[in-house]
């Protein structure tokens, strides 16, 4: 079975966290999805690219989550979430997945 790239894990955490929170009405449940995927991606980033890169990518993941909120006021919720998820996925691929 092929390994899922960390870029996919990170993007899925952002999109899935928002989707779960929106569809269930329980923000905490969405937070669990977001945090679980973020932790899984961070472990892969550390293994694939080292601690410094993992720290930077984790900061980008958290910044994307936080930044999606004000961005959503300008472009809408789903476009915002999809945009930041794409940006994190691209950064993850460039820093960690591309090497493997």
């Amino acid at each position: 079975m092929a390994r899922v790239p960390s870029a996919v894990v990170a993007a899925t955490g952002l999109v899935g966290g928002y989707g779960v929170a929106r569809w269930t009405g329980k923000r905490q449940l969405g937070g669990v999805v977001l945090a679980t995927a973020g932790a899984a991606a961070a472990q892969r980033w550390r293994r694939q690219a080292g601690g410094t890169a993992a720290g930077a990518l984790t900061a980008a993941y958290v910044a994307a989550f936080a930044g999606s909120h004000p961005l959503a006021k300008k472009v809408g919720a789903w476009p915002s979430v999809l945009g930041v998820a794409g940006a994190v996925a691209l950064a993850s691929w460039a820093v960690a997945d591309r090497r493997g």
Side-chain angles (χ1 to χ4, degrees):
M1 185 168 148
R3 245 177 96 141
V4 177
S6 62
V8 173
V9 174
T12 300
L14 289 161
V15 173
Y18 174 70
V20 166
R22 173 124 183 191
W23 291 317
T24 65
K26 300 191 185 300
R27 293 178 69 165
Q28 300 87 346
L29 191 55
V32 169
V33 172
L34 178 80
T36 301
Q43 280 186 325
R44 289 184 183 194
W45 292 330
R46 187 173 30 84
R47 270 195 312 257
Q48 292 174 272
T52 302
L57 288 168
T58 300
Y61 185 81
V62 172
F65 167 70
S68 70
H69 291 82
L71 182 59
K73 293 179 181 176
K74 296 184 184 289
V75 299
W78 277 112
S80 173
V81 171
L82 294 173
V84 300
V88 169
L90 181 61
S92 178
W93 175 82
V95 173
D97 295 334
R98 176 171 59 131
R99 299 174 184 210

